[in-house]
Amino acid sequence: MAGNGGVARRCACRRSYAAFREVSFLSRRKTRTNLRNVSMIPLFKRPLLYPRWRSLSGSYRILSMDAREKSRSTLLESSRHKKVPIFVMMPVDTFCIDSSGSPRIRKIKALTISLKALKLAGVYGIAVEVWWGIVERFSPLEYNWFLYEELFRLVSESGLKLHVSLCFHSNTHVSPGTGGVGLPLWILEIGDHNRDIYYQDKSGFSNDDYLTLGVDQLPLFCGRTALQCYEDFMLSFVNKFDSYIGSVIEEISVGLGPSGELRYPAHPLGDGRWKFPGIGEFQCYDKYMMEDLKMAACKEGKPQWGDRGPQNAGCYNSLPPGVPFFEDGQESFLSDYGRFFLEWYSGKLICHADAILAKAANILKKYQQDKQTPVILVAKIGGIYWWYQTISHPAELTAGYYNTALRDGYDPVASVLSRHGAALHISCLEMIDSETPQAYHCSPEGLVQQIRTISKKRIHLIGRNTSERFDQNGLRQILANCYHPQAEAVRSFTYFRMNDKIFAVENWNNFVPFVRKMSTDL
């Protein structure tokens, strides 16, 4: 594909491609947990939420992938962090595209003043998104770090630390009206000729916010695979900012999917396809994912299962009642086919994280071994909290988390992160169950508690809010989640995000005491 048209002519550097052997999740798994004897439970009868959901999840053992895959890493040392450093994420419109088509930093003077104010308030650092679509914008392997050199200098001179997010996604759909940052132009040009480099839904609509994991090991990008593109970008970043890493840059988050999170784009924002609280759609219909599904089905001895994804799983804005795949029955998520598909779908996501984090951990090894200036590798997951209090957890299943009332889908994620020494970045820390719509059976508190449980003594947690909260209740909930009495304190907290509202007098008067409480020994 990359050999056609103008793309090939612009690729001045081709790398010989040695094919990676992908170890299929399905082919390497041990004997599959047998759910055939689990009685079918009517999910959406008398009311929608099964009335004994909590007692049911207590009486059935949660099925864990740890029974099949033991982590090779050692347990974290048990020690409570008495202070939780606060990072504030940069504004969504930090960068803009000027009249020449080049990106630049907006309002540098105002930004400098804001950084100094945050430092005086007790904020520890700034979270900065480092965009693939800015740095390697025009041509492959041509990196321009000028904007980030300037931005990191401003942050450092303000006395603040850095949490850097290496972003391999686009935010043009998530942040309409701000201009946003797309994928590199040369990637988009390849995509114009081959839409299958992006995730696709069952209707054939593609999402160009992130490359499908189906191309992780295919040399479609001027001779490079997607994994090689990510690795080369990380290497260039580390070489450029070696003097900052460990001293100013203390946390490095590696993008694993849409919005930087390890998930599928099952709930696309900004293009009109999905609205909360829709269950979303499975995203496996690009030709590369479908080819892998067919191979997995043949290995399972069921080639007919590889023709397509579930056809009875509703659409983006469906609600669970009446959607057969998320209820009980012969063709539900509890059927043999349902278990096969969800293991494959979630397993591909786990393999994707494993491959990228392995490369990132190797690149950062020398910094993590330095006891005086360690740097923390971070991986983000999505906070899919709606329909959490149902048996099937449909919104999580479409996003790629095989998490139900009968199966712990976040345990394999924790195992991969633990293996590579990465911390887990989870949102929703400001959210309270009673403030969410009861009809949609949300439980952000239940989700956070599950993540807290599986991470205990294995991986560090890093927290974040999902929506702006300056009120006392929201900030108090963040504090309570960061200092939970039965768990380690979170390693750090990222406030999402800096804008004019945070500096409004009534909000600032709540925000500053919150920061100081988090920064005090408790």
Side-chain angles (χ1 to χ4, degrees), residues 23 139 211 272 449 509:
V23 181
S139 299
L211 297 177
Q449 178 57 39
N509 288 341

Side-chain angles (χ1 to χ4, degrees), residues 360-373:
N362 185 57
I363 291 169
L364 296 174
K365 185 185 299 182
K366 71 173 183 178
Y367 304 100
Q368 292 178 314
Q369 291 173 342
D370 188 334
K371 300 299 181 183
Q372 294 183 337
T373 58

Side-chain angles (χ1 to χ4, degrees), residues 404-425:
T404 70
L406 302 175
R407 187 184 192 280
D408 190 337
Y410 298 104
D411 189 74
V413 177
S415 293
V416 169
L417 268 60
S418 178
R419 185 156 59 245
H420 300 299
L424 189 155
H425 196 153

Side-chain angles (χ1 to χ4, degrees), residues 287-404:
K287 67 181 180 182
Y288 306 112
M289 289 284 283
M290 290 305 298
E291 287 171 1
D292 193 276
L293 177 61
K294 289 177 182 178
M295 288 191 293
C298 289
K299 290 178 182 178
E300 191 74 8
K302 299 284 187 178
Q304 68 275 19
W305 286 354
D307 293 338
R308 54 190 179 180
Q311 297 299 292
N312 59 347
C315 58
Y316 286 107
N317 295 308
S318 295
L319 305 184
V323 179
F325 190 77
F326 302 113
E327 294 184 314
D328 59 353
Q330 295 182 351
E331 297 182 354
S332 76
F333 73 103
L334 290 171
S335 67
D336 286 346
Y337 167 74
R339 292 192 295 273
F340 158 78
F341 176 80
L342 292 172
E343 285 186 355
W344 170 80
Y345 189 67
S346 63
K348 292 296 294 180
L349 206 62
I350 296 298
C351 289
H352 178 67
D354 196 20
I356 296 178
L357 291 176
K359 294 180 181 299
N362 185 57
I363 291 169
L364 296 174
K365 185 185 299 182
K366 71 173 183 178
Y367 304 100
Q368 292 178 314
Q369 291 173 342
D370 188 334
K371 300 299 181 183
Q372 294 183 337
T373 58
V375 62
I376 296 176
L377 175 62
V378 181
K380 298 178 182 178
I381 64 170
I384 313 295
Y385 59 87
W386 55 104
W387 307 115
Y388 184 87
Q389 295 192 70
T390 63
I391 304 297
S392 60
H393 295 223
E396 290 167 272
L397 295 185
T398 58
Y401 305 126
Y402 190 0
N403 189 57
T404 70

Side-chain angles (χ1 to χ4, degrees), residues 152-165:
F152 290 0
R153 179 182 55 79
L154 287 176
V155 173
S156 178
E157 289 176 353
S158 298
L160 294 161
K161 302 296 185 179
L162 279 165
H163 172 125
V164 172
S165 295

